[in-house]
Amino acid sequence: MSAHGGGTFASAGVRRSLLALAALAVVAVLVAFFWLPRVKPDFVQGGLWDAICRAAGVPRNWSAAVPRDDAQASRVASVFTSTLAAGGDVGHGGTLALRCTMCHGARGVSSSDVPNLAGQYAEVTYKQLTDYKNGQRRHALMQGLAAGLSEQDIRDLAAFYAQLPRPSPAGPPTEVPKLVSVGDPMRNIAPCATCHGGIDKKPGSPWLDGMSQAYLAAQMQQFAEGARRNDTLGAMRNIARQMRPEEVDAVARYYATRAIIGHEGAAPEPAR
Ligand code: HEC
Ligand code: HEC
């Protein structure tokens, strides 16, 4: 009798936990398929697996998501370095680049807050110019300039700038910000150096050393606010949203002081 009572009690408990588990699964499905895609329109863009992975690192201000009318992520979705490297005519690129020198410098290194192009990976220059041209990256001036470039012009410019020497590296840094070398797993921030060079180089990630501090910080801020949203799968937006202003300043200062502007000569690494 007591054994029977105990059995009923146990199976009721089991039934309760099974019900709770089922309810949890339903809630998870609702969140993943209905709520998240609504508050974050580009949520399912990268496929379900990406959606689930990104759900692991919920950005601080998710519901204040970027404007919906805006263009979705870049059309240059996956980067195809090898075909690009083969497609550019350096000579023609150099001729076209005469239109760019007044801002980006005679040899692709700018002493103002305009980004350096010298030694930039061809696939990066290609992608950014294409994104300006298609309106996926917003900047009135660069959009206007890129609109007049053909696909081949863009390849040629990318090839031309890729082979210009980068500014010389500065000495070893006194201090490497933690976010650069180890990231912050608690906030789902991968080390910058796993994509931007140092630990590893992921295709499409720009060479940052020697870019102006103001430019770098401004780009991070634009990613954080969603004003710049041409990064494939939100790779940079997801990181920048999690960063505190003083961290943005620290990493921008770090990369800006990694090279000496005015001392060009370091040969670009072979594109990967
Ligand atoms: C009048 C000044 C000006 C001229 C001329 C100009 N640019 Fe720019 N360029 C800028 C500024 C400013 C930015 C940063 C824009 C932003 O914040 O998105 C930029 C950004 C870029 C970027 C993105 C770099 C990166 O690291 O993301 C590329 C690539 C680029 N320009 C290529 C060119 C090329 C090629 C030309 C010539 C056809 C050119 N630019 C002419 C001012 C100029
Ligand atoms: C998962 C790889 C990845 C990680 C980690 C990463 N980035 Fe990026 N970053 C990218 C990619 C890819 C782009 C180019 C996005 C695009 O296509 O416009 C980019 C662009 C940028 C830009 C804009 C540069 C330019 O010239 O326009 C800055 C600044 C930047 N990242 C800084 C950082 C910093 C600082 C960190 C570490 C806190 C970091 N990134 C971590 C992949 C990464």
Side-chain angles (χ1 to χ4, degrees):
M1 191 62 189
S2 67
H4 177 72
T8 313
F9 182 74
S11 56
V14 166
R15 218 177 304 132
R16 248 200 312 276
S17 37
L18 281 178
L19 273 175
L21 205 65
L24 195 69
V26 169
V27 169
V29 165
L30 287 175
V31 166
F33 290 96
F34 298 100
W35 184 70
L36 286 177
R38 278 181 47 205
V39 298
K40 197 169 183 299
D42 60 350
F43 187 76
V44 288
Q45 186 193 348
L48 183 59
W49 188 240
D50 273 307
I52 291 168
C53 290
R54 271 189 291 160
V58 179
R60 215 172 356 172
N61 53 351
W62 209 337
S63 45
V66 277
R68 269 170 222 212
D69 65 308
D70 206 19
Q72 292 294 299
S74 166
R75 270 174 235 173
V76 191
S78 60
V79 186
F80 26 80
T81 348
S82 47
T83 48
L84 265 175
D89 174 344
V90 172
H92 183 236
T95 308
L96 290 169
L98 293 173
R99 306 180 205 165
C100 323
T101 51
M102 67 170 139
C103 297
H104 290 282
R107 303 273 295 159
V109 177
S110 159
S111 47
S112 67
D113 290 335
V114 174
N116 299 334
L117 303 177
Q120 186 56 277
Y121 303 103
E123 96 266 4
V124 169
T125 304
Y126 173 87
K127 178 179 185 295
Q128 299 305 322
L129 285 173
T130 306
D131 286 352
Y132 285 127
K133 183 179 158 108
N134 294 335
Q136 262 95 23
R137 182 172 172 185
R138 304 277 167 93
H139 187 268
L141 210 139
M142 278 310 305
Q143 282 180 259
L145 280 162
L149 299 171
S150 70
E151 164 83 14
Q152 191 59 46
D153 290 345
I154 290 179
R155 283 172 191 266
D156 297 348
L157 281 161
F160 169 72
Y161 279 115
Q163 52 84 53
L164 286 184
R166 289 172 178 157
S168 301
T174 47
E175 203 188 337
V176 182
K178 271 242 159 63
L179 286 183
V180 172
S181 53
V182 293
D184 183 356
M186 295 304 290
R187 284 183 287 166
N188 208 17
I189 301 180
C192 320
T194 53
C195 295
H196 288 284
I199 298 172
D200 199 1
K201 154 79 177 102
K202 299 267 163 62
S205 313
W207 176 257
L208 301 177
D209 296 10
M211 294 262 199
S212 110
Q213 183 180 342
Y215 172 76
L216 293 173
Q219 296 304 310
M220 308 272 317
Q221 200 169 343
Q222 287 180 26
F223 281 129
E225 290 164 356
R228 176 171 171 185
R229 40 192 282 112
N230 66 323
D231 53 327
T232 305
L233 296 178
M236 276 311 302
R237 275 171 288 167
N238 287 340
I239 290 174
R241 271 190 211 123
Q242 309 275 347
M243 290 172 66
R244 293 185 283 272
E246 61 274 19
E247 293 176 322
V248 169
D249 286 347
V251 292
R253 191 177 329 111
Y254 167 77
Y255 278 112
T257 53
R258 296 261 300 156
I260 309 167
I261 303 304
H263 292 254
E264 280 68 71
E269 286 165 20
R272 281 211 263 150

